Amino acid sequence: MTTILDFKKKKLAKEKITMVTCYDHAFAKLVSKSNMDCVLVGDSLGQVIHGFPTTLQVTTDLMVLHTQAVVRGAPNKFIVTDMPFLSTRKGLVFAMECIEKIMQAGAQAVKIEGADGHLELIKHIVESGVPVMAHLGLTPQSIHQLGGPKVQGKKTEQAHKILEDALALEKAGCFAVVLECVPAALAKEISEKLQVPTIGIGGGHDTDGQVLVLQDMLGMNSEFSPKFLKKFMNGADLITGALNEYVSEVKEVKFPGPGHQYDA
Ligand code: KIV
């Protein structure tokens, strides 16, 4: 089982870290049987599971509920849970109460988007014994401020700010930094300058690890195909195909067959 200590060890050994999102018990059981190092109960569950337009609708209660389901399915995995929208912006007590609920739900760490205004809070969380994963670049909770899901750090000044933020977050005690949708050269530079590992999504192959949304990498959403995404299977076609096969067999009275019924 991966622990927080393995993140730095893997970086030093140049062994890539693998992380995937997971939001429910059924998938957690499958992930638990895989070789994945780490599971993220990401607030992308707002869109992926609940059909919200953004992550802004996600609450602490929702993160706690999904964390509990994932922990029950994958107790052998290192589980990181996202701090939901604005939970780090309402003062120390509010943030710590949210962290208390998430950690008591079974997470081993929390992830916090952005650096501005967070450094003192992160120091306090880490000093309280809670590991913090940082998240820079495209930070979905700031989607309206960023003007949409755009690559971040293309301009020199912006790239410099992301690098400075990453260094400050490391100093504040973060054990890893997610870099989302930044140019590959910037992700490489940050990964070389940090002692803690970087975990990329849309940041090229020089980060110390990779993370993808589970349903995206399984190809469950045929309408979502950003450049950075590789679909490791065509889940949408496979699942729709299976559903239609079931419908046909029921209509043609092929299912249930003799092997799928109880005899007297
Ligand atoms: O919520 C999420 O899925 C994330 C990943 C994209 C890193 O934060």
Side-chain angles (χ1 to χ4, degrees), residues 19-23 40-48 55 63 82 111 113 133-135 138-141 178-180 199-201 211-214 216 228:
M19 180 159 89
V20 73
T21 66
C22 189
Y23 320 115
L40 173 67
V41 185
D43 60 355
S44 51
L45 64 84
Q47 289 125 305
V48 178
T55 58
M63 295 311 296
D82 264 333
K111 177 162 78 59
E113 289 186 11
M133 180 178 274
H135 183 160
L138 173 56
T139 44
Q141 291 174 10
V178 168
L179 295 173
E180 179 166 352
I199 301 186
I201 172 165
V211 55
L212 283 176
V213 168
L214 179 67
D216 294 347
F228 68 79

